[in-house]
Amino acid sequence: MIETTQKSKLITSKSVRDLIVSNQQIPTTPLKVSGVPGDKSISHRVLLVGAATPNPTKIHNLNQGSAVGLLIPALQTLGVQIDSDGAVTTVSPPTNNVWTPEEVRVDLGPSSAAARLLLGLLAGLGVPAVIDGNETLRSRPMDWVVNPLRELGIKIDYLATPGCLPVAIRGGCLRDGQVKLQVGSAQACSAILFAAFGARRKVNILHPVRSRDHTDRLLHHIGVGIKYIPEGIQVSGAVPQALPEYYVPGDPSAAAFLAAVHVFQQRKTELILENICLNPTRIGFFEVLKECGIPVNYLDVCEAFGEPIGAIAIGKVPDRLQPFQIDDPFRFHSMIDEIPLVAALATQIRGQSSIFGAKELVFKETNRLLSISSMLNAFGGQARVVGDALHITGGKALQSGVIPSFGDHRIAMTAVALASSLSGNSRILEGECYKVSFPEFMELMHTLGLNIHFSKE
């Protein structure tokens, strides 16, 4: 059953500053934006592959957000060598490929992706460790990963609340086999892929829906056998090749916030976002823009390291947009991190738009079903949660004001984007949490012409 009120899993640290969004001067000339940060999901995965493949890996454009940053000291504690000169991060496996021989505790803060993916890799490699996180992460489900790993022969103990962190990897050897995941989470699937990769085992992973496939693509790129089977994916135990260099493409989830400002302000010129990952499992937000009647084109598309990349061009925003319905699981997962933005988009469209099958949002940094509706309603919107669905009635005039973000980076950035279209000042509470995934957010918002700054308190 989905809760109807926000509880203690919200991040409410007073050290996180508010953001003030003021009246904007909308540019009247076309705009081309480069420098979108490296994809967060790919950054996590290439760090782990670099740690577990022969020879050093030089990573360009690694995401600099704290969610990725938390994985680096965790890997170093385990014996992985990681150095950075700012532009390039070099990852080398432990000396003589000997990971720490004794059980160590690593703390991944609030990053579920780092925790789940590292848990899978260490289980496959047979490295003893305790995986832990902060209070927020300790409330998020880990049985999605632990149960299938146990089925494949890994001994994992819960050290506090069953189903949650902290957990201890206590031994066992991953064996060939087949597991069926209970959720469509990309993190769950990727954790098992990393376990099979680390153990060099053949595993069939059955899942209810195809989610983002960066792990599949990266493992295939380094020579690991990847085969798509009915209802899932098969990974073989091939010996991986070295990965000497990797250029992380721009994050489509970050690019979506720039596109949203363009749309919410109803700009009549073109916005081009360069060097963006165009993986079909990640561009659902831009496909919704098309459905609503906004011109969106993908330019100069090519493939690099197994990922399609290119530019996204968003044209003149029509005065009238069409409402939408999201009820397909693949479509939902292709924009799962952009659902706050999609919901904000719905406030700009006359009629009702709906997002169905959104139960997984309950297990994000906040219960996003509730934090999205609370944020939109604070602007004067009409959003309501019914079961696992979110319904938004758009077309009503919104007002600036004091807007809660609940310490959730995607809620905060969505609130900034929406506030950019309104007169007056809006105060986004705890808005500084954007640094979790998008530390360049303020700089790029200024590039778009936004008047945004930290509160003086």
Side-chain angles (χ1 to χ4, degrees):
M1 180 177 180
I2 296 175
E3 297 178 359
T4 57
T5 57
Q6 290 283 19
K7 293 193 177 180
S8 61
K9 65 186 296 186
L10 303 180
I11 305 169
T12 57
S13 172
K14 293 183 179 179
S15 64
V16 180
R17 291 177 290 180
D18 300 343
L19 294 179
I20 307 298
V21 185
S22 306
N23 293 335
Q24 315 299 317
Q25 183 174 2
I26 300 175
T28 57
T29 57
L31 189 61
K32 184 178 290 187
V33 178
S34 59
V36 173
D39 188 272
K40 181 167 74 74
S41 294
I42 294 176
S43 293
H44 275 131
R45 288 156 173 80
V46 74
L47 279 171
L48 293 172
V49 165
T53 49
N55 305 324
T57 298
K58 294 185 180 295
I59 307 172
H60 302 259
N61 200 34
L62 187 76
N63 185 284
Q64 298 299 312
S66 60
V68 173
L70 288 163
L71 183 58
I72 291 175
L75 288 169
Q76 290 172 323
T77 298
L78 293 160
V80 178
Q81 303 168 63
I82 303 178
D83 299 293
S84 177
D85 63 6
V88 179
T89 300
T90 303
V91 184
S92 303
T95 303
N96 299 322
N97 204 34
V98 177
W99 295 64
T100 177
E102 298 180 355
E103 181 179 280
V104 297
R105 179 181 291 264
V106 292
D107 188 334
L108 282 308
S111 179
S112 62
R116 289 177 178 139
L117 302 189
L118 182 60
L119 174 58
L121 179 62
L122 296 181
L125 292 171
V127 177
V130 173
I131 309 295
D132 202 358
N134 67 5
E135 182 181 354
T136 299
L137 187 55
R138 283 186 172 195
S139 71
R140 301 181 70 174
M142 290 294 145
D143 52 345
W144 298 352
V145 174
V146 170
N147 290 347
L149 287 175
R150 283 175 167 175
E151 290 178 34
L152 292 170
I154 301 299
K155 296 179 181 178
I156 300 177
D157 294 334
Y158 291 114
L159 302 183
T161 304
C164 300
L165 296 183
V167 300
I169 304 169
R170 291 280 164 78
C173 293
L174 195 86
R175 55 176 176 263
D176 293 349
Q178 177 170 292
V179 292
K180 185 174 183 178
L181 304 181
Q182 299 304 307
V183 294
S185 165
Q187 293 176 13
C189 184
S190 292
I192 309 308
L193 285 169
F194 272 118
F197 158 67
R200 298 180 184 175
R201 289 293 186 177
K202 183 177 181 179
V203 177
N204 291 344
I205 306 169
L206 307 183
H207 48 70
V209 61
R210 182 186 175 201
S211 54
R212 61 184 63 179
D213 60 2
H214 300 304
T215 307
D216 323 1
R217 291 171 180 266
L218 182 54
L219 294 182
H220 181 264
H221 178 72
I222 61 172
V224 176
I226 295 291
K227 178 181 178 182
Y228 294 102
I229 59 176
E231 300 183 9
I233 184 173
Q234 180 184 89
V235 54
S236 72
V239 177
Q241 304 164 5
L243 181 65
E245 202 157 30
Y246 195 99
Y247 287 81
V248 181
D251 193 325
S253 296
F257 292 103
L258 308 180
V261 168
H262 179 85
V263 172
F264 296 163
Q265 293 187 341
Q266 293 190 311
R267 296 186 176 190
K268 304 305 179 185
T269 57
E270 186 176 58
L271 172 66
I272 298 178
L273 306 170
E274 297 184 305
N275 188 38
I276 306 300
C277 178
L278 299 179
N279 186 312
T281 66
R282 295 291 305 284
I283 55 174
F285 174 75
F286 297 97
E287 294 299 300
V288 168
L289 294 185
K290 286 184 185 180
E291 179 183 325
C292 294
I294 299 164
V296 176
N297 292 291
Y298 306 120
L299 311 175
D300 304 321
V301 181
C302 62
E303 185 169 300
F305 305 99
E307 294 282 353
I309 63 171
I312 303 175
I314 302 100
K316 175 182 176 181
V317 181
D319 293 330
R320 179 140 189 151
L321 302 175
Q322 298 299 314
F324 58 83
Q325 306 287 313
I326 298 172
D327 54 12
D328 175 73
F330 172 79
R331 193 173 182 222
F332 173 80
H333 279 86
S334 72
M335 63 183 98
I336 189 168
D337 287 338
E338 291 75 71
I339 293 297
L341 274 179
V342 174
L345 172 66
T347 67
Q348 310 297 294
I349 304 172
R350 291 186 180 277
Q352 179 172 289
S353 297
S354 298
I355 302 164
F356 297 95
K359 186 176 181 179
E360 281 187 46
L361 295 183
V362 173
F363 305 109
K364 292 293 184 178
E365 283 81 345
T366 59
N367 178 338
R368 280 195 184 147
L369 278 173
L370 300 178
S371 53
I372 290 170
S373 61
S374 297
M375 179 266 294
L376 295 182
N377 292 337
F379 278 113
Q382 294 181 302
R384 59 193 178 94
V385 177
V386 180
D388 65 354
L390 183 62
H391 304 286
I392 305 99
T393 302
K396 179 182 178 182
L398 304 182
Q399 300 88 35
S400 55
V402 178
I403 311 299
S405 77
F406 305 104
D408 185 326
H409 56 124
R410 302 211 186 270
I411 301 297
M413 291 187 287
T414 298
V416 168
L418 195 51
S420 74
S421 67
L422 305 175
S423 61
N425 294 345
S426 288
R427 187 185 190 99
I428 314 303
L429 301 178
E430 301 178 279
E432 192 181 13
C433 63
Y434 70 81
K435 293 180 179 178
V436 168
S437 61
F438 195 170
E440 302 88 348
F441 178 71
M442 289 270 283
E443 178 184 347
L444 289 177
M445 288 294 110
H446 290 152
T447 299
L448 291 185
L450 270 66
N451 183 2
I452 175 176
H453 57 274
F454 292 116
S455 62
K456 296 181 180 180
E457 298 177 8

